Amino acid sequence: MDSVAINKARIVYYGLFASFFSFSLGEENFENIMNSVEILSANPIDDQTDKALTNIKRRLGKGGYSALKSESDKVFYSPTTTFVPMTASYYIEQRDDGCKRVEMVSFVGESKFRRNSAEYKEHEDHIEFVLLFIQKLINEELQGDQDAKLLSKKVFANILNVMIDSFADNLFNHERSFIYKQVVLALRSFTEFERLYFNVVKPTQVEHSNTARPNITKDKKQERQCVQLS
């Protein structure tokens, strides 16, 4: 098993999903998505991922950045469509800024990175932040940092693993999800790969009937402290 090649591919996957779930999805995210899809299509995890990446490339090639941005806004941020929670705390406590944010802040404190609210506007347990943080830890692992490897497993097992299935289900079933349905298919395959990689068991399904409901908007008044990921 070529661990270096595997970790380099994992970095691309984490970056791909982080770009799709970016709070402020910009054209630079779109460029990263298109480049990542091209790279990963050459050697997908499985048939499901292969088909999903092919469909993503086709749809984004046709609709471009504007189509993706429009769908992202309708799926994640419109007050008129079903609300899809994006923080781990919400999937545990049905509210943002809860126990999983505290836990994630602790994990950030174990790393070499430091908080910078100007760099990132969402909570530490927001899925984009978690994905980017793990991606950074894998980069550190490639540089020989074994503590980063251990920390990435803790973040995956305790934060991402507890929310990812419910998040994926909510996103797949969303009434305005089209491109994102394909994203979920690739995400599900990658999640199972990561569970095998980390030797982490899929958790008991979290009851999330109260975490996907219409006409709920995010509270943007809460103070946010974040890690600088650049």
Side-chain angles (χ1 to χ4, degrees):
M1 179 183 293
D2 187 344
S3 60
V4 172
I6 289 173
N7 279 336
K8 286 181 177 180
R10 292 173 66 224
I11 286 171
V12 178
Y13 273 108
Y14 275 106
L16 171 67
F17 296 124
S19 289
F20 270 120
F21 305 140
S22 174
F23 172 71
S24 54
L25 195 155
E27 293 192 25
E28 69 279 4
N29 297 114
F30 181 77
E31 291 177 7
N32 178 66
I33 287 168
M34 295 303 290
N35 289 336
S36 297
V37 167
E38 193 67 35
I39 292 169
L40 296 172
S41 293
N43 191 23
I45 292 174
D46 55 18
D47 289 342
Q48 176 169 285
T49 304
D50 187 17
K51 292 176 182 177
L53 293 174
T54 297
N55 287 333
I56 290 169
K57 183 161 55 174
R58 176 176 56 82
R59 294 189 181 198
L60 294 184
K62 181 178 180 180
Y65 166 69
S66 60
L68 178 61
K69 183 65 166 64
S70 176
E71 184 170 320
S72 174
D73 288 344
K74 291 171 184 174
V75 169
F76 294 117
Y77 309 115
S78 173
T80 65
T81 64
T82 302
F83 173 49
V84 177
M86 301 184 77
T87 67
S89 290
Y90 213 109
Y91 286 94
I92 301 301
E93 301 177 70
Q94 287 73 59
R95 71 182 183 94
D96 292 323
D97 202 10
C99 62
K100 287 300 176 181
R101 184 189 182 192
V102 174
E103 193 172 358
M104 188 63 192
V105 168
S106 177
F107 290 143
V108 171
E110 294 182 37
S111 75
K112 64 184 288 186
F113 305 107
R114 294 298 175 261
R115 302 171 191 173
N116 184 347
S117 59
E119 175 70 17
Y120 191 83
K121 301 301 183 182
E122 287 299 293
H123 290 170
E124 288 88 343
D125 64 333
H126 185 282
I127 189 168
E128 180 195 5
F129 185 93
V130 176
L131 292 167
L132 288 175
F133 187 62
I134 294 177
Q135 183 193 50
K136 282 292 182 181
L137 293 175
I138 300 171
N139 267 313
E140 292 300 306
E141 179 185 344
L142 284 173
Q143 302 304 313
D145 188 343
Q146 292 303 303
D147 289 336
K149 179 179 180 179
L150 295 174
L151 183 56
S152 66
K153 179 175 181 177
K154 289 197 288 186
V155 175
F156 179 85
N158 294 283
I159 305 296
L160 195 57
N161 193 44
V162 302
M163 72 174 289
I164 197 67
D165 294 300
S166 296
F167 171 76
D169 288 347
N170 289 342
L171 184 53
F172 188 85
N173 294 321
H174 195 279
E175 69 273 14
R176 300 308 296 267
S177 175
F178 304 102
I179 298 169
Y180 278 96
K181 272 187 169 58
Q182 302 302 315
V183 177
V184 169
L185 294 176
L187 178 63
R188 285 172 173 163
S189 291
F190 182 65
T191 299
E192 291 308 312
F193 175 87
E194 288 293 273
R195 284 174 176 147
L196 289 171
Y197 182 86
F198 285 123
N199 193 25
V200 170
V201 178
K202 179 178 179 177
T204 302
Q205 183 67 33
V206 177
E207 174 57 50
H208 59 275
S209 60
N210 292 325
T211 66
R213 57 182 187 271
N215 302 328
I216 299 178
T217 56
K218 294 184 175 183
D219 182 2
K220 291 296 178 185
K221 296 180 181 179
Q222 299 177 17
E223 181 181 358
R224 298 171 172 86
Q225 292 180 312
C226 310
V227 68
Q228 184 171 354
L229 293 178
S230 60

